[in-house]
Amino acid sequence: MARILIIDDDEPFRIHLGTLLRNAGHVVLEVDCALHALDKIALDPFDLLMTDIFMPQMDGFELLSTLLRRHPRIRVIAMSGGGTGMTPNLALNVAKKLGAIELISKPFQPGEVIRAVDRALQADPT
Amino acid sequence: MNTISAYRELTDAHKLQEMRNELEGGFLTVIRHYQAGILHRPERIRQAIRENDPEQVAMESHSLKSVCRQVGLLRMGEMAAELEALGNSGILDQAESLVEQLVASSVTANHELTHFCSGAALPRPFFDKGRQPD
């Protein structure tokens, strides 16, 4: 069982992912923006973060950079269905370069999500 | 608009059944959130078109596209993708008629999803794959 924080501005995706991961036995918290995520992380430790890339205010790229500067050992999974002028693959590759250890394309396959979470939790967070 | 499939059905019962199996007791809660997005986003896109705000059209359409694809509403996803492209191009001339189709489809899709959630099979015509729309 791990503590997982989901960050996505699209409510249906947050609820869907949260339900999947709770069914898999994890403790899950969901927030709708990167700024709320930073607040939560400052208060509580999480084993894993799952963040969307394209969000208003602060996007997933900026969140990744900020997070890994402040908490270099935190594990992050990046998720994207692409954005303006950027395919999902390109967005996820950039996220990987910024430090995401697993990547999930939207629309996601539930089995793929569970496997990515398992791999991320087993990975050495250094 | 030529890129939008001429399939008659909107919802994919197999995809929905898969979700129901995966989510077990959480299925209804999850699908209700998707339904809310499917109903409200097209209205927001219509509003953004009326306000001649291509950026907002692209943003709302992008979100709707993702939501539709996730639950197997592929034809609505195609319409949303087309509207996203129009929003990104900054030219909304063709967007008005497309959004009206999208709004109408969202009402039907919502009805079909509610029907599926009630445990009943979807009405037969929705699965007549390959038939041309009326």
Side-chain angles (χ1 to χ4, degrees):
Chain A
M1 184 187 79
R3 280 178 54 81
I4 301 174
L5 180 63
I6 296 170
I7 307 130
D8 198 321
D9 59 318
D10 264 326
E11 191 181 40
F13 283 108
R14 281 201 312 273
I15 306 292
H16 191 169
L17 282 169
T19 305
L20 266 179
L21 296 173
R22 281 187 197 96
N23 284 355
H26 300 295
V27 174
V28 184
L29 198 71
E30 300 141 14
V31 291
D32 63 357
C33 73
L35 296 172
H36 289 159
L38 290 172
D39 290 345
K40 293 286 177 200
I41 296 158
L43 295 172
D44 273 319
F46 287 89
D47 301 301
L48 177 66
L49 262 71
M50 298 179 70
T51 184
D52 187 27
I53 297 295
F54 295 101
M55 297 182 287
Q57 295 174 305
M58 180 189 276
D59 65 25
F61 298 135
E62 200 181 339
L63 175 65
L64 261 167
S65 309
T66 308
L67 260 180
L68 292 170
R69 226 179 18 247
R70 293 184 192 173
H71 311 273
R73 291 179 61 83
I74 206 157
R75 300 175 179 99
V76 182
I77 295 179
M79 308 179 288
S80 183
T84 305
M86 208 180 238
T87 63
N89 279 349
L90 179 56
L92 292 172
N93 283 333
V94 173
K96 189 159 198 175
K97 286 200 167 77
L98 289 170
I101 57 174
E102 288 285 338
L103 311 170
I104 293 172
S105 268
K106 289 178 176 177
F108 59 79
Q109 297 294 325
E112 218 172 88
V113 170
I114 300 295
R115 285 191 292 277
V117 166
D118 288 347
R119 282 195 304 270
L121 290 171
Q122 285 163 15
D124 181 357
T126 52
Chain B
M1 261 190 278
N2 302 341
T3 55
I4 295 164
S5 305
Y7 286 118
R8 186 182 186 120
E9 82 285 4
L10 277 172
T11 41
D12 179 344
H14 298 296
K15 176 76 185 167
L16 291 170
Q17 190 55 49
E18 219 174 76
M19 278 179 72
R20 180 179 263 165
N21 296 341
E22 285 152 4
L23 295 167
E24 300 164 4
F27 173 74
L28 285 182
T29 307
V30 170
I31 211 73
R32 294 286 179 238
H33 281 88
Y34 279 111
Q35 276 185 280
I38 287 157
L39 265 184
H40 299 141
R41 294 258 181 211
E43 292 291 349
R44 287 192 215 155
I45 298 168
R46 177 152 70 181
Q47 188 59 33
I49 292 168
R50 283 180 185 155
E51 288 167 5
N52 196 27
D53 185 346
E55 202 177 318
Q56 189 69 12
V57 169
M59 207 181 78
E60 295 286 355
S61 303
H62 176 76
S63 290
L64 180 65
K65 178 185 74 181
S66 300
V67 163
C68 289
R69 287 178 175 172
Q70 189 64 49
V71 290
L73 296 170
L74 298 183
R75 190 146 61 94
M76 275 187 69
E78 287 176 5
M79 291 183 207
E82 188 101 11
L83 281 162
E84 184 186 5
L86 290 172
N88 285 331
S89 75
I91 302 163
L92 298 178
D93 295 351
Q94 295 171 45
E96 215 161 317
S97 61
L98 185 52
V99 82
E100 293 311 318
Q101 281 186 52
L102 185 66
V103 169
S105 295
S106 74
V107 173
T108 309
N110 184 50
H111 171 74
E112 290 184 30
L113 290 172
T114 302
H115 200 75
F116 182 87
C117 291
S118 73
L122 290 173
R124 179 80 191 142
F126 297 131
F127 292 107
D128 254 342
K129 215 169 189 174
R131 281 183 55 181
Q132 294 300 304
D134 296 331

